[in-house]
Amino acid sequence: MTPSPASHQLIADMIDHVETVVVGKRKIIRLITVALLAGGHVLIEDIPGVGKTVLVRSIARSIGADFKRIQFTPDLLPSDITGMSVFNQKTGEFQFRPGPLMGNVVLADEINRTSPKTQSALLEGMAEGRVTVDGTTHKLPDLFFVMATQNPIEYEGTYALPEAQLDRFLLKLSMGYPSRADELAILNRLSGENPLERLQPVLTIEQILELRRQVREVYVSDSMKNYLLDIVEATRHHPDIYLGVSPRGSLAFLQAARAYAFICRRNYTVPDDLKEVAPYVLGHRIILRGDQTGGQKAAELIRSIIASIHVPVRTKESIR
Amino acid sequence: MRNKFRKWPHLLSWLLAVFIFWTCVRPVMTLTILNQPLQLFLFFFIPLLLLSIGAPFWLAGLAGILQTGWAIHNYFFNDLPLLDSQWLVRTVRELNRNARMVWQGNLTGMSDLFSAFLFYVLLWLICVVVWRWLKTGRLYLYFFLSVAAISMVDTFTDVKAAQSLPFVIVAGLLMVGIENYSRLDEAAGPAVNRTGFIKWLLIVTASLFLILATGFAGPKMDPRWTSPLVYLQNKGLISGGLLTSQRIGYDSDDTRLGGSLGMDATVLFTARISGDAGYWRVATKHIYTGKGWSAGKSGYFVPLVDRTQNLNRIALYGKNTKTTKQSARLTFTNDSPAILPYIGQPASVAASNPTLKINPDAGQVLTADEKPVRTETISYLQPVYQIPSLRRVKGSPDPESIRSRYLQLPGELPDRVRTLARKLTAKSTNRYDAVMAVMNYLKSPRFSYSTDQVPRPAGNQDYVDQFLFTSRTGYCDNFSTSMVVLLRSAGIPARWVKGFTSGEYTGQTEARVNGKTVPASIYQVKNSDAHSWADVYFPGSGWVSFDPTPTFADPSVFTETGSSGSSSPASGRTPRTPGASSSTSSAQAASRSNRTPAQSMAPDSGSVPQKSPFSDHSGKQAAAGHVSLLPRLLSVAAGILVPAVLLVAFLTRKSWLSRLLSRRLTRLAVTDGVSFNRAYARVLSLLRLNGMRRKDSQTLREFAEEVDGKISGRAMQELTQRYEQLIYSDQAGLSRADQSAIMTNLRLIAAKLADAPKKS
């Protein structure tokens, strides 16, 4: 398969498009695109006010798909997001009224503010691609992309997502404060009319599904797979790590690397792809020993692990 | 490196490095015969300077070769003109002979010349290494090794090098400090900030001062382990003094004379001499310390080549002294000293040990390894001093070289000694009479001869003063020293000689002189025959021996006229040895004295009566070496050059390997995956040679980015992108466009790397 320039152009367009609204976050935008193309979901964790919601909304708007937003609150019930059966007096039957989770692109704002019961309803939908309401299973749409945001858990009035469940998300990102120059640009750009409102969709559902198919065909050589496994195994033997990356994590890692290679306009992966996505794919899949908490530390640890692993550079004899 | 002299901090640290080098090399002058400071200094300074200012390697090599030649000529062939090819041929032959010996594992047989040559080669190589260290900023290594070297010298040799250690440490720390500043400065920006440097220098100096002050003020523990040398000796691992400067085998310390003398009748050697009985010389000393005699900073040796070469360095007689050619053969016992005593002025010396050397300062002939020998064969000139020419010497017409050396007297010498000397010589109109006056004064009954009850000078008492004015009792050392000191006080150059008297006559035999069989006398010399006397310098006649000790008489022959009969001038001079009666030997001497000195000086007169088997053998070897000199020359050259070339190649491997690799790169045709893989591997090694090494955890892409940042451009990244495709993707083929792009990038990288070192 040769890389199709048209598909690459589509992605580049989308990223540029989002950048007209979100300033200085190209890397995060690319990573969200990786998740979208890899068929995973994204969790963005950061303090309030750094533009999580704006970012997610502008990506959602760039995709010409059914966009739903759920604002998680402590009193939200699982049925509020999955939908519920309502008795129709005319027909005399219970009729299913789909909840906001049934959209193509779902923005789950501040998921750590709601009760674990509601959280698990969302996470089940993300994992299974279906929801069960009153004994009936409802399939979620083919394109189902959740972007969740959460405030760091040390803030008040939050319910921490169980660490073991975090791996339902392909990537966990953190935005961080913008640079001074970027913040100045934000002041200039967002003081007037909200540019978000003017944003037009550039990708259709069909296009995204086609891109996802292409991403699955990105070539991963055996040496790359071994390199990936080297990294994963190192997390399992590292003295500071209590729980290493699971095989599900390895699969996610592989998929993310493929998508990253794809948005870099390649149809094969190189070690750099793995290096680039590793902190975001693996950071929330490990549990650190002792009282070390927080995503930043985990991502740092992953980076240090990668810095100790030999990059496969094939030798003469293996060249065909 | 090229802009080193534009930056004066660099210059300063370079000078400090030179100082450290010099301090490390300096002990060589005390430990070996290479004792000329300027020569030693220039030897390493010139190549180091040349290399540092970026002169080509061969130039520094040439400087080394020329200086080695100069030094060898200076130390070993001083009597031949510098531009004479003869010494060069001899040097080459000597090197060849020694190289063969070393090849055969005979390391002990190495001659001084060969060791000196090896030393210079080594010094030159060290010079190159030091230059590399300075260039690559490995100053800590340099500093550490210097300190280690000096400590080793101080521990394992006699040289007290520890005093220079603080200086080296100060210089080294200063050098490292300055170099660190330059490094920080280069990292911060291109501008050299003068005040910043001075501030830095002040801080460095202040901390240095603090360190030194703490060091000197702090309490010093006695060493737990006094000396590794002593420990090793006790363990029996080494015998005697390792690397100690073993100078003289025969009781060399005469700096404190006095005390009673034990008589020891051990036989030292037996001599068969064709000439008259004479005193056997062992050493001359010229520095009077107030307590005894010192040879000064002695230990400068020249080799005795071909039995005759360099013997003129210990010549005694001037043209006015008539000489006769004689021969002597000495057989030593086990207790003999390592020094070869001689009689008269030796014209050729051979010993059972084939390599001999000469100490020109002390007038000694000794074996190169300073071990005793079994036999010695000398052909020598027996003097007949001409009293008329001795009498002609009036005033002080001595050459400056003699005056500066042989008129030395300590400042503390009591004035009454000088007054006495003036009084004794006041009536004499010429030097000979003055000498005789002093000698007769010492031989007068005022002084009594005794080997016991002789006091040692105490406190700051002068040895001569004590003898002349207080004790008036003594043995040969008292008399001879007093004579020399009195003569010097009167302005007459003189020196102190130690050796043996002629010994005991035991019989008659025959010897061959100039092909003729002549009668020879046999003398046995014992330890108790040790003696000392005075040498007085007479312009034109050279050194003339006088023995002021009562009851002793030097059997040297003095004649009143050049052609007719001879007589002993001193009335009291009777030969102590019964065999060599003065009358018969004088007649013999007179009959031979009309032979011209030039004739008897000819080295090839075949005068050596018996050659030892060993010397015969070596002579044949030398002759054979002369016939096929070229191949041997080549083998010596190869033996020296090949390691040198290999070393130079190793030291410069980065530059030539890099050149070689980049040349091969530009010629490479990349047509498929295999050739591309090879080419890429070569690029990586080329980069490694240029100091860019990929870390194991670094991806090719990251590495390429780093490389391109250094060599500017995108060639490596473009090349790497294609290479990644080759090794990570599932398509192996290279399109024609890919191929040409790869080759272009390869050439670009090679070209940029070739430029890069010249820029930096």
Side-chain angles (χ1 to χ4, degrees), chain B residues 93-103 109-111 114:
Chain B
R93 219 182 290 169
E94 180 79 2
L95 294 184
N96 173 34
R97 191 174 67 80
N98 278 280
R100 287 163 57 91
M101 244 190 312
V102 171
W103 188 255
M110 273 200 293
S111 72
F114 190 62

Side-chain angles (χ1 to χ4, degrees), chain A residues 34-247:
Chain A
V34 164
L36 175 67
L37 296 184
H41 309 284
V42 183
L43 173 66
I44 303 171
E45 180 187 84
D46 220 320
I47 49 166
V50 288
K52 295 189 295 280
T53 312
V54 173
L55 169 67
V56 170
R57 279 185 64 191
S58 41
I59 287 175
R61 278 191 78 103
S62 308
I63 302 167
D66 186 17
F67 172 61
K68 293 279 167 50
R69 175 181 175 166
I70 312 166
Q71 181 66 45
F72 281 74
T73 54
D75 57 354
L76 202 69
L77 295 173
S79 57
D80 290 337
I81 59 167
T82 56
M84 63 180 100
S85 297
V86 177
F87 184 69
N88 189 329
Q89 287 190 325
K90 279 184 194 161
T91 57
E93 287 174 350
F94 280 94
Q95 197 180 345
F96 180 67
R97 281 188 59 188
L101 201 57
M102 304 302 273
N104 293 120
V105 178
V106 177
L107 166 54
D109 234 351
E110 302 190 80
I111 53 164
N112 57 342
R113 284 197 167 275
T114 195
S115 61
K117 193 163 71 173
T118 314
Q119 284 173 356
S120 57
L122 170 71
L123 295 172
E124 188 204 344
M126 284 160 55
E128 312 289 327
R130 66 194 72 208
V131 288
T132 307
V133 179
D134 297 338
T136 321
T137 300
H138 302 275
K139 195 175 178 302
L140 294 174
D142 286 339
L143 176 66
F144 176 63
F145 180 46
V146 175
M147 290 180 281
T149 72
Q150 74 169 6
N151 291 335
I153 47 172
E154 54 265 26
Y155 283 80
E156 265 182 49
T158 58
Y159 299 91
L161 280 176
E163 303 257 13
Q165 289 190 16
L166 275 176
D167 69 355
R168 303 291 197 279
F169 292 101
L170 180 68
L171 303 177
K172 183 181 169 198
L173 309 174
S174 174
M175 309 220 8
Y177 288 112
S179 70
R180 194 184 170 93
D182 286 342
E183 198 157 357
L184 188 67
I186 291 168
L187 293 181
N188 290 335
R189 200 181 292 184
L190 300 184
S191 54
E193 191 197 356
N194 190 353
L196 192 60
E197 303 302 324
R198 284 185 280 116
L199 218 52
Q200 295 300 313
V202 290
L203 277 175
T204 64
I205 295 175
E206 289 70 34
Q207 278 171 331
I208 291 175
L209 293 177
E210 168 59 21
L211 291 176
R212 281 186 174 181
R213 195 189 59 73
Q214 287 184 14
V215 165
R216 279 194 293 275
E217 286 174 9
V218 167
Y219 176 76
V220 182
S221 68
D222 286 346
S223 64
M224 291 303 302
K225 285 174 189 158
N226 279 316
Y227 181 51
L228 182 149
L229 291 179
D230 284 347
I231 297 172
V232 167
E233 266 174 27
T235 68
R236 293 175 191 164
H237 299 123
H238 197 279
D240 288 350
I241 297 175
Y242 174 64
L243 190 66
V245 175
S246 61

Side-chain angles (χ1 to χ4, degrees), chain B residues 16 23 42-43 46 85 91 115 121 141 143 182 209 262 265 312 324 344 351 376 379 568 579 617 619 651 666 701 728:
Chain B
L16 286 168
T23 317
L42 287 183
F43 187 87
I46 291 177
S85 64
T91 305
S115 347
V121 172
L141 183 66
F143 176 36
S182 320
F209 181 75
N312 59 344
T324 58
E376 178 193 4
S379 109
S568 289
H617 178 60
L651 288 175
T666 50
R701 192 169 280 245
Y728 296 128

Side-chain angles (χ1 to χ4, degrees), chain B residues 324-338:
Chain B
T324 58
K325 186 140 191 168
Q326 304 291 350
S327 81
R329 185 172 166 79
L330 283 72
T331 312
F332 294 94
T333 66
N334 286 336
D335 304 297
S336 67

Side-chain angles (χ1 to χ4, degrees), chain A residues 271-272 275 307 311-312 314 316, chain B residues 677 696-697 699 702 727-729:
Chain A
D272 303 79
K275 269 195 169 181
V311 173
R314 241 198 304 190
K316 205 185 304 184
Chain B
N677 195 50
D696 281 336
S697 66
T699 65
E702 288 164 344
I727 65 168
Y728 296 128
S729 85

